[in-house]
Amino acid sequence: GPGSPSKRPASPASGWDKSALATHRVLLLDQRGTGRSTPVTAKQLLALPGGPQAQAGYLEHFRADSIVRDCEVVREALCGGKKLSLLGQSFGGFCILTYLSLFPDAIERALFTFGLAPVGRTADEVYAATYKRMEERNRRFYQRYPQDVELVRSLVAGLHAAPAPLPRGGTLTARRFLQLGLLLGSASGFEALHDLLELARPPSADGLPDATSSLPDLFLLEVEAAQQHFETNPIYWLLHEAIYCDGGGGGGGG
């Protein structure tokens, strides 16, 4: 996150849900602007009178401090004021840090899963470290799948020359295609990205897309599927960088 709704409960429960339900009452919260909690959409933002300034002002109400205060309302209403045990994944962990700052007495325990904010570090430092991490992930990916090197180069060159229309609307540009690198951040991302790229291979001798031919529909549909989460959750693109600011909010932390 930010911008992603909570997962929905499944029956029968599995994973961490199953373990937690054995000893706890589990509350799954859609953070402000997501799911069933006043979801923010691109259409809604564009309709706000006042232009970009009004949009920015509206989005100020969807930050971690507001999310935490929403949780306090839920805690009082549904838990009778009892202390909470919090589990935070990604931006959820950032919100837990805010919770600990604003309402430390409301928390019994806090569990973080890859969501610890870089307190005392600037956004620039975070990006510098992230670039190195992604460089290493790219190196390992192409080491595992060396056949994808020329395939990716061919796809980028072709999309630079002629962006491809997507089946459900929109356009696949070279820049948008390269954003599929986000998949490398997940545990199974190497295989997911490789399998997706394989769908772009034509049955030709060298297995590389021809600049004069269109990309397979199945490949384009899978590209849409890999990115559609962000189509419905614009808060991610608008507020993600801001969550790494420490202090006054500037890129340098001032």
Side-chain angles (χ1 to χ4, degrees):
S4 302
S6 172
K7 63 176 292 184
R8 270 20 186 188
S11 181
S14 62
W16 70 265
D17 310 52
K18 184 176 181 180
S19 298
L21 286 168
T23 55
H24 291 74
R25 179 188 184 188
V26 176
L27 302 177
L28 301 173
L29 179 75
D30 282 342
Q31 297 169 359
R32 281 192 181 200
T34 74
R36 297 289 294 164
S37 296
T38 317
V40 172
T41 66
K43 182 178 180 181
Q44 175 195 30
L45 289 174
L46 289 173
L48 287 175
Q53 192 64 39
Q55 294 166 7
Y58 180 68
L59 289 170
E60 288 181 357
H61 300 288
F62 296 88
R63 301 180 305 194
D65 55 334
S66 296
I67 291 170
V68 166
R69 288 184 169 87
D70 288 343
C71 288
E72 274 296 279
V73 173
V74 172
R75 185 176 73 89
E76 292 294 337
L78 298 184
C79 306
K82 294 181 180 178
K83 291 187 176 184
L84 299 176
S85 293
L86 301 176
L87 173 62
Q89 161 68 20
S90 190
F91 180 59
F94 285 50
C95 291
I96 288 179
L97 288 182
T98 302
Y99 218 137
L100 287 167
S101 298
L102 297 179
F103 305 102
D105 294 336
I107 301 173
E108 182 176 18
R109 63 177 63 85
L111 307 173
F112 297 84
T113 58
F114 300 101
L116 197 58
V119 178
R121 298 288 185 176
T122 68
D124 291 337
E125 290 177 288
V126 172
Y127 273 107
T130 302
Y131 290 146
K132 292 180 181 179
R133 189 77 173 266
M134 284 303 296
E135 183 179 37
E136 174 62 16
R137 297 289 286 180
N138 274 267
R139 185 194 66 77
R140 288 172 54 195
F141 174 77
Y142 288 118
Q143 183 180 53
R144 182 179 299 182
Y145 300 110
Q147 68 271 33
D148 287 347
V149 173
E150 290 305 318
L151 174 59
V152 169
R153 287 175 176 168
S154 177
L155 287 167
V156 170
L159 291 170
H160 267 307
L166 290 166
R168 297 190 176 93
T171 303
L172 180 60
T173 61
R175 184 176 181 181
R176 180 169 179 173
F177 167 74
L178 290 172
Q179 289 175 350
L180 291 169
L182 283 168
L183 292 170
L184 297 180
S186 64
S188 59
F190 284 23
E191 290 69 33
L193 180 57
H194 171 70
D195 292 344
L196 192 156
L197 292 172
E198 283 291 292
L199 298 175
R201 290 188 184 277
S204 58
D206 60 5
L208 296 177
D210 187 334
T212 62
S213 61
S214 59
L215 292 169
D217 284 346
L218 185 55
F219 167 72
L220 296 175
L221 285 167
E222 288 300 316
V223 169
E224 286 186 322
Q227 297 180 333
Q228 67 181 2
H229 178 74
F230 301 111
E231 297 283 347
T232 56
N233 299 287
I235 283 183
Y236 179 87
W237 298 116
L238 296 169
L239 298 183
H240 182 75
E241 288 188 342
I243 69 175
Y244 289 95
C245 292
D246 185 35

